[in-house]
Amino acid sequence: MSDTQPRLHLHDSRTRNTVPFVPLAPDNVRVYYCGPTVYDLAHIGNLRAMLTADVLVRLLRHLYPRVTYVRNITDVDDKINARAHANGESIADLTARTIRDFHEDLAAVSILPPDVEPRATHHIGEMQDMIARLIETGHAYEAEGHVLFAVASYSSYGALSGRTPDDLIAGARVEVAPYKRDPGDFVLWKPSDDQTPGWDSPWGRGRPGWHIECSAMSQRYLGESFDIHGGGSDLLFPHHENERAQSMCCHPHGHFANHWVHNAMLLVNGEKMSKSLGNFLTVRDVLRDTPAEALRLLLLRAQYRSVLNFTHEGLNEARQMLDRFYRALENLDPMQDAVPAPDNVVQVLCDDLNTPRALAEMHALADAAMAGDSLAAARLKAAGNLLGLLQDTPEAWFRGGAKVDPARIESLIAERLAARRARDFARADEIRNDLAAQGILLEDGPQGTTWRQA
């Protein structure tokens, strides 16, 4: 990071303050985000966490020479077992298909892949090593084929989520089990029967608990201490609280995550998204009728720590905003296409990823571009690149979503031109009106007639 670059400030969930971001090693900023449990399609709430990570990593790569971004995949879980059984398919087939769908959905919304994407089933050995160390140091214990973390052994338990031990027990859906020493103790390893995935271990054939996975994989690829751990606010407790406790007890001289970033939840039409309410939307549900960039822009219109209300009206507004930006890019001079991201856009993003203000700065650039400033158009394009927007050309944007055959449109334009030359203006108007009814607008200019999607 150069002396002229703005200083990044991020809200840290652990301290509950927005603080300057100071990397542990400026030559390699290390970031870990919790990825999917792969048993179903990603929904738009999942997407918000992945998009927050994408914007953060894009900004970090703008500011620092190297960023190592790790995002895990949980491919061993009781939900996966239950879904595979319900579907009558193998766990391997279910997880392979779901991982492929997850990658396709994120790529559609221009979310860049992580540098490393470890799968839980490939790191059972690291998990077992960590569990053994926790037992040796008195932070975990065996009980009836299980290994459990002893919450009372870590005096700082609850510091991340800001809850007292009583609050933690009252607010958690803890598993009631007679073999637990304390109701809040959580599972590190549990037994598997013949129908359940399992691995041999010193504690019997079994499988890992959810929380130990991320601790083991983050340590494997980022070390005992790394810069940023992120995810949705729903993961703050118990998942991230438990991760932090077991990692700090296993490596007491490290920091685990130096900085915690959590995005707020997403509502749909003012209500919590739920299948029972009929407002549960997968990414694919939305993209069936909406350009992917419009979905991405809608999510960026709210700062990541603000609750976002998803509506179809909001999607339409995002699409209209993109129409305006792409209109401004029609004044882009190809010779100015590669300019750096505008300083004012970088500056507001450094203020805890303030994407609404960044979009406001892009509107100002669009104003200048539509007034004939080609450099402003280039800067608008560069700002879009930093936010993962404006990835199409104007021509592709205005034509790409049309649900008609482009060749047919060109044929009708030619027919309309012939009708006008023959002074058959009624037929020419009929063609224009028919196309307009299909959402296709014709624009006559000195170079001929062009078309775009309304």
Side-chain angles (χ1 to χ4, degrees), residues 115-126:
D115 298 297
V116 186
E117 191 174 53
R119 294 175 58 163
T121 55
H122 297 175
H123 296 81
I124 301 297
E126 288 95 331

Side-chain angles (χ1 to χ4, degrees), residues 44 266-273 278-279 281 308-314:
I44 57 175
L266 179 146
L267 303 177
V268 176
N269 296 320
E271 296 183 296
K272 184 177 179 180
M273 188 168 62
N279 65 353
L281 294 172
L308 171 67
N309 186 28
F310 176 95
T311 66
H312 287 286
E313 292 79 7

